[in-house]
Each structure stands twice: as C-alpha cells, then as structure tokens.
Amino acid sequence: VTNIIATFKLKVERCNYIGNAYETEDGYNTKYDEYEDCVNSLYRKYPDNLKVIQLKARNTYSDSLRIVLDKANDIITFGKNLEKDDVYDVLISQARDYKNNGEDFLAKTKYEKSLKYNDSIDNSIMGAEIYISINNKEKAKAELLRKIDADTTLWRLNQKARLLIDLEVFDEA
C-alpha cells in the first residue's frame, strides 16, 4: 500500500513539475502538451481523487470546469479519510467558479464550507467580494479584518484597503 501511495504522489508531483518548471518569463509553458497529457492521464486513472480533480481543474475552463468541480461534491459528501487540504482546495475552487459566474449565494456556501477545512489560508478578499455581492457588508468587513495584521503582501493589502474604503471602514483601511 505504501508503494502505491508513493507512486501516486510521484505521478502528481511529476505533473506539477512539468506544469511549473518549463514556464518561460512571459508565462508560456514550453512543455504544455506534455503537461496536459500528464494531467489527463492521471484524471483518467484516478477520477475520484480530490488532488487529481484539483489538478485537472487548474487547466479547465467554463462549463468543463463546472463538470470537473461538481464531480467532487459526492466525493466530499460521502468520502472517507479525505485530506482536509484537498477538500479545502476543491471547495475554494468551486467558490471562485461560482463567484466568477455570478452565482453569489452558491459561492458564499462553498466559501464558508471551505473555512471549516482550512481557515489559515487567507482568501478574505474573495470572501469579502462574495459578501459584498450579496449585500452583506458587515460580514465583508469582518472577513477583511479577520487576518489583516498577518498579511504582508503589498498587492493583497492594497486590495483589502480598497475594499475597506468601499465599505467605509476608513480607520482600518
């Protein structure tokens, strides 16, 4: 069993390596076709694995993305021994997809569910944008302020400040 798990993890990391290591400065992956083949091969062999679903979702768009991510719903609901980070990754991807497609209440549901699996990763900008879109400004403020002192990335701090100004929280902005 240990060898099977190790082999699987190596296959996933191989795909990740091909997807990242061959990127040029302008973002073009010189091994993109090989990367796609690697991901698709894993997806055919392990279609019910959340790590693989997330890997497939990174390069899938539009209606096809929804199909890939929706496949994870039953796995998350009925699966056993799932890694919390894998569940979180899929849920946050679903929240982002729903948000990008204007399905704000579904985005909120997936976002809030994702926090039960990992609340240490800061996706508060997306969370605040979701709450703003459903006119819950108090929840948006709370979400932005939840981890504001821990953030040191200038771009993220700037985004948070802009949202806080829009929400009229001037002292914290």
Side-chain angles (χ1 to χ4, degrees):
V1 173
T2 304
N3 283 344
I4 293 170
I5 294 170
T7 301
F8 169 76
K9 287 182 177 181
L10 282 172
K11 288 178 180 181
V12 169
E13 288 310 313
R14 180 179 178 275
C15 288
N16 282 326
Y17 178 78
I18 296 168
N20 294 319
Y22 295 99
E23 246 183 47
T24 61
E25 285 184 25
D26 60 353
Y28 176 73
N29 185 340
T30 59
K31 300 266 187 176
Y32 183 79
D33 291 338
E34 185 178 338
Y35 173 64
E36 281 287 299
D37 290 344
C38 185
V39 170
N40 289 330
S41 173
L42 271 178
Y43 190 68
R44 282 190 301 275
K45 191 165 185 174
Y46 307 101
D48 297 328
N49 183 286
L50 292 181
K51 235 180 238 333
V52 174
I53 288 171
Q54 184 62 17
L55 190 62
K56 176 74 172 165
R58 282 188 210 135
N59 293 315
T60 307
Y61 306 96
S62 192
D63 294 338
S64 297
L65 174 60
R66 182 66 56 89
I67 291 166
V68 170
L69 291 174
D70 282 352
K71 182 175 183 131
N73 288 332
D74 285 342
I75 297 166
I76 290 170
T77 302
F78 302 110
K80 292 181 172 45
N81 302 323
L82 300 174
E83 291 187 33
K84 290 175 86 172
D85 286 345
D86 293 342
V87 175
Y88 169 82
D89 287 343
V90 170
L91 289 170
I92 208 70
S93 292
Q94 289 175 323
R96 187 174 297 108
D97 180 54
Y98 286 130
K99 176 186 167 294
N100 291 342
N101 286 294
E103 298 174 72
D104 301 323
F105 286 99
L106 288 171
K108 174 191 162 294
T109 300
K110 294 296 182 176
Y111 179 76
E112 289 176 347
K113 190 172 182 181
S114 78
L115 295 176
K116 295 175 185 172
Y117 290 91
N118 188 337
D119 68 346
S120 65
I121 296 175
D122 186 1
N123 277 300
S124 61
I125 293 169
M126 179 175 62
E129 289 172 341
I130 291 169
Y131 290 125
I132 289 168
S133 70
I134 60 171
N135 295 317
N136 191 339
K137 292 182 180 186
E138 289 306 312
K139 192 82 170 170
K141 290 176 198 175
E143 189 61 23
L144 287 169
L145 296 173
R146 184 169 61 94
K147 291 187 181 244
I148 200 154
D149 292 334
D151 206 335
T152 59
T153 306
L154 292 178
W155 177 87
R156 292 177 52 75
L157 288 170
N158 186 37
Q159 290 296 107
K160 288 180 181 186
R162 287 180 187 198
L163 287 169
L164 287 167
I165 289 168
D166 290 347
L167 293 166
E168 299 179 356
V169 184
F170 302 114
D171 290 342
E172 296 293 336

